[in-house]
Amino acid sequence: MNGSPSPAPEDVVWDLPGDAPHRMSLLVLPHAGGNAHAYSEWREHLPADVRLLIGQYPGRGARYCEDLPESVDDLALPVVGALPPDTGPLVVLGHSMGSLVAFEVTRALQAAGRAPAGLIASACRAPVLPNQCPVHPERLDDDQLVAAIKERGGTDDGILDDPELREIVLPSIRADFAIDDAYRCTAPGVRLDCPVAVFGGDADPIVPVDMLGGWSAVAGHPVAPEVLPGDHFYFQQDLSGFFARLNPALQALRDSAAAPA
């Protein structure tokens, strides 16, 4: 990403506080081709004392003029650098490719002595595994790539069908899928120091339920996935039902972080 302008922290991490002083923060990392705006409605479903932080990747929103990302580090490290210092207990959550970004954010925070209270991975393979369902965007023309995105879901078809909007969003989508295709953590014996929880959809064709337990390899403890009805973007089909499961998980992680060692 040589030559990119240095983004403002508020453009890298959106800060959406609730109506009460925050006792913890939730950092959300979007899926491949996703952006912070797609997750802003989560504010309405979180407790008032949970501060919502959302990562915004290069090539979209106020970061549109930056170089496109070429690696997970290009997605994760600016987020780490832009996090506000007063998060309180921090839970890092990623969806799909965002879970891999969340994993690397967690590792970076851990290395800096700022280990979060927990990591929540959603609809994603374990980071030590190769991508079992690559998109190969380099082999696809624009129409083929749009068809592949529509098949996966998660992006408004109206954007993909509008020629001008499509021209704006496709470059970052291509870049993200290339990163997701290639990423695999090969650090020997990598373990996270925080609890790990995993969510997924029972009809996800991209990351089937039986793959979700692979996160145990980096958690250092057996992971029992929370499985909800739906496909790869299961939470979009029942956002209230998703938060009925997510909010108790956040509370448990906050309680664990507050408990004496």
Side-chain angles (χ1 to χ4, degrees):
M1 293 183 62
N2 295 331
S4 283
S6 180
E10 62 269 22
D11 293 334
V12 180
V13 176
W14 286 21
D15 190 349
L16 303 177
D19 294 331
H22 68 272
R23 293 195 295 155
M24 71 174 300
S25 298
L26 172 66
L27 170 64
V28 177
L29 285 312
H31 57 280
N35 57 54
H37 178 74
Y39 293 84
S40 60
E41 68 177 310
W42 285 26
R43 174 66 272 163
E44 302 170 19
H45 298 268
L46 287 167
D49 62 355
V50 176
R51 181 182 189 177
L52 176 60
L53 305 170
I54 313 173
Q56 180 77 299
Y57 301 145
R60 58 218 89 184
R63 303 186 68 192
Y64 181 75
C65 291
E66 293 181 46
D67 292 343
L68 291 171
E70 298 176 357
S71 70
V72 168
D73 281 351
D74 290 340
L75 302 173
L77 296 184
V79 170
V80 174
L83 279 175
D86 59 340
T87 62
L90 175 69
V91 174
V92 184
L93 180 152
H95 179 69
S96 193
M97 181 200 72
S99 299
L100 305 177
V101 182
F103 172 72
E104 291 296 348
V105 166
T106 300
R107 291 181 71 200
L109 290 172
Q110 192 171 285
R114 300 166 56 198
L119 167 68
I120 298 177
S122 169
C124 187
R125 70 191 188 275
V128 293
L129 299 178
N131 191 334
Q132 82 290 350
C133 196
V135 174
H136 296 300
E138 73 282 357
R139 303 178 186 174
L140 306 179
D141 63 26
D142 286 356
D143 289 339
Q144 291 169 327
L145 181 59
V146 165
I149 298 164
K150 287 183 175 181
E151 185 177 353
R152 287 182 171 235
T155 301
D156 184 353
D157 285 357
I159 294 174
L160 297 173
D161 292 336
D162 182 300
E164 292 184 1
L165 293 176
R166 188 166 99 163
E167 186 175 349
I168 292 171
V169 302
L170 277 188
S172 59
I173 291 174
R174 281 188 179 280
D176 287 358
F177 278 126
I179 292 169
D180 191 21
D181 278 1
Y183 176 85
R184 185 179 186 183
C185 177
T186 57
V190 62
R191 292 288 185 277
L192 298 180
D193 291 340
C194 64
V196 176
V198 180
F199 282 70
D202 64 358
D204 185 349
I206 310 299
V207 185
V209 169
D210 60 6
M211 291 196 68
L212 297 175
W215 282 86
S216 300
V218 297
H221 60 82
V223 171
E226 293 263 6
V227 180
L228 288 83
D231 57 22
H232 194 55
F233 285 87
Y234 63 93
F235 63 85
Q236 291 182 347
Q237 292 147 1
D238 183 7
L239 201 54
S240 295
F242 169 64
F243 276 93
R245 305 277 284 273
L246 178 63
N247 285 333
L250 294 176
Q251 180 68 47
L253 289 168
R254 180 169 64 190
D255 291 347
S256 176

